[in-house]
Amino acid sequence: MPATPELAENDYDSFAEAYAAENETSLNNAYYTRPAILDLAGDVSGRRILDAGCGAGPITEALRDRGALVSGFDASAKMVELARKRLGHDADLRVADIGSPLPYPDGAFDDVIVALVLHYLEDWTAPLAEIRRVLKPGGRLILAVNHPIIYKLIHPEADYFKIAKWNDEYTFGGQKAVLTYWHRPLHTMTDAFTAAGFRTAVVSEPPPAPEAYERFPEELAGRTAFLSFLFFVLEAV
């Protein structure tokens, strides 16, 4: 029998449509991450916001609907194409890599959103430096990453205090995908934020949106919250 082809890591171009479609209504994305990010952002009317790693644009769209002036980028050209379909061809959307110099001037934004992006990266130094550069002094970085305890729950034999690479297999719309993450303990996250010129203002482990309990009664039975992602609000100093 022919060998099963190995799946490329984090190849969002290959499963962009299936991933975007599933996350429109998924518990972790539609009823947990997005509501939490929007709640932390608060009143964004008139604020210039960069959605870094915007994917198909659901957070970008929600911020725009709330009156923000939003730009977005993603490393996946296919994801940016889907975001353009959602937001219109006049939207400021670009293909760019958060690990490289970003195509925006210094101090261009009041806020930067980085939802479920940094945990794909081994080194946060350059990305955080670029985010700090494009933020105004006093601007906010609002982000979500894998909760560091998740790695230890999945790999109980692992050393929580070591930065480590791990992966997980998923199926989006019947399409298999491999996502590769970098675990880092909480103190290395906050150390990286401080070194990049940020002050940690909020650390949040939020509950899901209230309507999630009706839509996902079995998954959420008896729970007020669950461990999945960890959320931060950082201030540029």
Side-chain angles (χ1 to χ4, degrees), residues 77-133:
K78 185 64 177 178
M79 283 294 192
V80 173
E81 179 185 323
L82 294 174
R84 287 195 185 283
K85 289 180 180 178
R86 176 191 293 266
L87 296 162
H89 287 279
D90 58 339
D92 181 15
L93 298 169
R94 311 184 195 192
V95 178
D97 188 337
I98 198 171
S100 302
L102 299 177
Y104 308 101
D106 295 358
F109 299 100
D110 299 298
D111 302 311
V112 176
I113 308 293
V114 186
L116 311 184
V117 177
L118 288 180
H119 52 219
Y120 295 123
L121 307 177
E122 179 179 10
D123 189 349
W124 288 10
T125 305
L128 288 175
E130 272 297 277
I131 291 167
R132 176 63 188 85
R133 180 185 67 78

Side-chain angles (χ1 to χ4, degrees), residues 33-58:
T33 304
R34 292 202 289 273
I37 290 287
L38 296 171
D39 183 59
L40 291 170
D43 182 5
V44 296
S45 181
R47 296 181 70 86
R48 293 199 60 86
I49 301 180
L50 176 63
D51 189 0
C54 64

Side-chain angles (χ1 to χ4, degrees), residues 114-229:
V114 186
L116 311 184
V117 177
L118 288 180
H119 52 219
Y120 295 123
L121 307 177
E122 179 179 10
D123 189 349
W124 288 10
T125 305
L128 288 175
E130 272 297 277
I131 291 167
R132 176 63 188 85
R133 180 185 67 78
V134 303
L135 268 173
K136 295 177 179 177
R140 300 179 302 171
L141 168 55
I142 302 168
L143 65 94
V145 293
N146 282 337
H147 198 298
I149 199 63
I150 296 299
Y151 173 69
K152 187 65 175 174
L153 291 175
I154 295 175
H155 302 282
E157 76 289 350
D159 185 347
Y160 168 85
F161 293 100
K162 287 186 177 179
I163 295 175
K165 185 179 182 180
W166 65 286
N167 58 53
D168 209 351
E169 291 191 6
Y170 299 85
T171 301
F172 301 113
Q175 193 168 353
K176 290 185 178 180
V178 174
L179 297 183
T180 295
Y181 307 110
W182 285 91
H183 161 76
R184 53 192 2 99
L186 178 58
H187 77 274
T188 65
M189 296 184 192
T190 55
D191 287 351
F193 301 151
T194 301
F198 291 99
R199 182 183 74 85
T200 301
V202 177
V203 180
S204 180
E205 298 169 315
E211 57 269 28
Y213 292 92
E214 182 176 342
R215 189 173 182 93
F216 302 96
E218 293 183 7
E219 293 94 326
L220 297 177
R223 294 185 179 188
T224 57
F226 58 89
L227 287 169
S228 181
F229 306 127

